[in-house]
Amino acid sequence: MTVLTSRCFFKIASIAVLLASVSACANNQSGRNLEQMLAADPRLQDNSVIAFGNSNNNSNQAAANTNIQLPADFPAEIPRYPNAQLQQVTASQTRWITPDPINVVQSFYKNQFQANNWEVRPSEQEGILEAQRDELRVTVTIPAPNQSSTAQPNTAGNTEFTLQYTRDTTVATSTSPDASEQASVPQPGDPDFIGPVPLQQANSTAQTINNNTTQPTAAQSFNDINQVPQELRQYLQDLSALGVLPLQATSKSNSASQFEPNKTVTRREYARWLVAANNRFYVDNPAKQIRKASASTQPAFQDVSASDPDFAAIQGLAEAGLIPSFLSGSSTTVLFRPDAPLTREQMILWKVPIDTRASLPNASVDAVQQTWGFQDAAKIEPRALQAVLADFQNSDRANIRRVFGYTTLFQPKKTVTRAEAAAALWYIGTASEGVSAQDVLRLQQSSPSQATSESPASE
């Protein structure tokens, strides 16, 4: 006991001497060094939270945000800013972040809404953009930095904004003249459904093909229609009924023939069908028809001469600038390769300009990855990349959705079957304006006299 007491006394005395030394030497260099050694670590005061294991909160939060997915009911027709990352999902609202400035984001949505026939509504509150198309209403909130909102530039210089969307189901019923007509519109799950298309709008658009002046190609009746995949069968039936799938360029198809739907389609066949479908859909609208070239025209491709049975269609597409050639500035495209298989990216590259009737937008691999979600976007040719991005803006009427359904792999170099090529041609137009083979058939059935009255004797 005496020994322990002596040791404690010795330690206390040592501490007292040490403190006294520090105080005595406070004004010299040695004292200051000693004082710094004994001082508390300031980091423990400033970052006391670190001691409790919360130092990774920010990084964990950022990692968690990358795993956030869009809800299943997020409307595909809403434009998605290419350089934005999804941060939060709530009921009918999503929050995004982008390193781009506020004015760039505002300009993007304003231009996208106007270009895709949205009704842009003025808002009294700054930083809010409201738009509506059919029954879908969207509010984009991008407030200025001095406004109190989570949708503003944060401390890292990023811009946060929200997309709020609602569907007004009363719009379609209140504007429809006849509820029984509305019920006849194809619904999700039907083979020919391609999106929420009010019947009145489809009929008014398709009315441009009325009053036919020429008799189209005779309808085909393919005896191997049962070999067509079920989800594509209706498309092929409608197109064959219109006679826009000629198997031979120089002669009419037999009344019963083999279509061979699962066989790879060639580039010449698709070019022939593309011109035939477009001109049949717009038979009375010369401004939208693709003019076939005459035999006296200088060929655009070295391997498609004027004597080729498909020269008129292929040359016509080239002269219209719808397929790459030296006429459109592609100096390296001197061969068409008419009998080569058609690939997916070529099918979209040729078809989308006919749908949009406009120049293809600038595109990047990142933009296609963020819109379509394609894992193999980097494998798509640069020009085809533009067409793929433009096709996304057509929402449920996009060719890729209609032909291939939901997919995260585009497989741009994969060949296209004859049935898939036909499905791509079933609808021509954008999400807001266009015409389908079913629209043409409906008008033809409602005016049978126009479909049979054309003949040399009646001219």
Side-chain angles (χ1 to χ4, degrees):
M1 182 67 179
T2 304
V3 176
L4 293 175
T5 303
S6 299
R7 289 179 178 176
C8 291
F9 176 78
F10 177 76
K11 290 182 179 180
I12 294 173
S14 298
I15 294 174
V17 171
L18 181 59
L19 294 177
S21 299
V22 172
S23 300
C25 300
N27 294 326
N28 56 43
Q29 183 62 34
S30 299
R32 285 192 293 270
N33 292 339
L34 184 58
E35 184 176 4
Q36 291 176 359
M37 292 174 58
L38 298 176
D41 188 347
R43 291 175 299 178
L44 297 177
Q45 300 175 359
D46 298 336
N47 299 320
S48 58
V49 179
I50 297 178
F52 294 94
N54 293 332
S55 59
N56 293 326
N57 276 0
N58 293 335
S59 61
N60 290 342
Q61 182 65 31
N65 289 340
T66 61
N67 296 325
I68 299 177
Q69 301 293 329
L70 282 174
D73 64 344
F74 186 82
E77 54 265 46
I78 297 179
R80 289 172 55 184
Y81 192 75
N83 198 26
Q85 181 180 359
L86 183 61
Q87 295 291 299
Q88 185 181 26
V89 174
T90 57
S92 298
Q93 180 173 297
T94 57
R95 183 167 62 87
W96 306 77
I97 188 171
T98 175
D100 296 342
I102 288 178
N103 62 320
V104 174
V105 181
Q106 290 174 330
S107 178
F108 169 82
Y109 277 101
K110 184 176 181 180
N111 293 337
Q112 286 293 317
F113 286 141
Q114 292 177 347
N116 291 282
N117 296 320
W118 289 73
E119 179 186 355
V120 181
R121 299 181 176 181
S123 176
E124 298 180 356
Q125 187 174 350
E126 184 180 0
I128 294 182
L129 182 64
E130 296 181 348
Q132 182 166 347
R133 191 175 70 188
D134 298 333
E135 74 278 9
L136 179 61
R137 183 177 304 169
V138 180
T139 301
V140 184
T141 304
I142 320 173
N146 59 350
Q147 289 182 274
S148 177
S149 172
T150 59
Q152 60 181 331
N154 56 29
T155 55
N158 295 324
T159 298
E160 296 186 7
F161 62 94
T162 60
L163 295 176
Q164 186 173 2
Y165 53 94
T166 57
R167 288 193 182 274
D168 186 1
T169 57
T170 63
V171 173
T173 56
S174 61
T175 58
S176 175
D178 189 348
S180 62
E181 290 183 359
Q182 196 71 17
S184 65
V185 178
Q187 298 299 317
D190 294 343
D192 51 357
F193 176 78
I194 57 171
V197 188
L199 184 60
Q200 183 180 8
Q201 176 185 347
N203 283 342
S204 62
T205 303
Q207 191 64 36
T208 60
I209 61 174
N210 208 352
N211 301 320
N212 297 342
T213 58
T214 58
Q215 176 68 17
T217 307
Q220 294 100 341
S221 177
F222 301 119
N223 56 19
D224 57 351
I225 197 74
N226 61 328
Q227 298 179 17
V228 181
Q230 182 63 43
E231 57 272 16
L232 304 179
R233 189 170 300 175
Q234 187 63 50
Y235 302 138
L236 179 59
Q237 289 176 334
D238 290 346
L239 289 170
S240 63
L242 290 174
V244 298
L245 298 177
L247 299 183
Q248 299 295 330
T250 57
S251 62
K252 295 182 179 180
S253 300
N254 298 327
S255 58
S257 58
Q258 293 285 326
F259 182 71
E260 299 179 294
N262 299 312
K263 180 181 177 181
T264 299
V265 66
T266 64
R267 289 163 60 91
R268 74 160 66 244
E269 286 175 324
Y270 186 67
R272 183 197 315 155
W273 298 352
L274 187 59
V275 174
N278 179 84
N279 292 353
R280 176 67 180 93
F281 285 13
Y282 298 105
V283 66
D284 74 327
N285 191 341
K288 290 189 176 183
Q289 290 184 2
I290 300 172
R291 305 297 173 86
K292 293 185 178 182
S294 63
S296 60
T297 306
Q298 178 66 30
F301 304 101
Q302 297 177 4
D303 55 352
V304 182
S305 65
S307 61
D308 190 286
D310 291 308
F311 172 79
I314 296 173
Q315 183 74 18
L317 289 171
E319 293 192 347
L322 297 171
I323 59 177
S325 71
F326 79 90
L327 297 174
S328 60
S330 181
S331 58
T332 59
T333 308
V334 296
L335 299 177
F336 181 72
R337 298 180 294 115
D339 297 315
L342 182 77
T343 65
R344 288 185 173 189
E345 63 182 1
Q346 292 165 356
M347 182 184 73
I348 299 301
L349 176 59
W350 298 2
K351 175 64 164 41
V352 170
I354 297 178
D355 290 327
T356 61
R357 312 276 168 170
S359 301
L360 296 177
N362 294 328
S364 65
V365 173
D366 289 341
V368 172
Q369 286 177 335
Q370 294 184 26
T371 52
W372 280 108
F374 290 149
Q375 304 174 41
D376 54 355
K379 298 180 181 179
I380 305 174
E381 294 291 337
R383 187 162 183 177
L385 204 67
Q386 297 176 270
V388 170
L389 183 62
D391 195 42
F392 178 81
Q393 298 300 327
N394 284 339
S395 185
D396 288 341
R397 299 183 187 179
N399 297 284
I400 294 175
R401 290 191 175 98
R402 181 167 62 255
V403 179
F404 307 118
Y406 174 74
T407 176
T408 63
L409 289 174
F410 181 54
Q411 303 182 75
K413 304 300 187 291
K414 185 177 180 179
T415 57
V416 179
T417 68
R418 295 159 69 87
E420 290 171 339
L425 301 176
W426 183 83
Y427 181 87
I428 297 178
T430 63
S432 57
E433 182 179 0
V435 60
S436 70
Q438 189 181 60
D439 297 331
V440 183
L441 284 174
R442 185 181 296 122
L443 285 178
Q444 181 175 290
Q445 294 168 358
S446 63
S447 304
S449 59
Q450 292 181 351
T452 58
S453 62
E454 304 299 338
S455 64
S458 63
E459 293 181 350

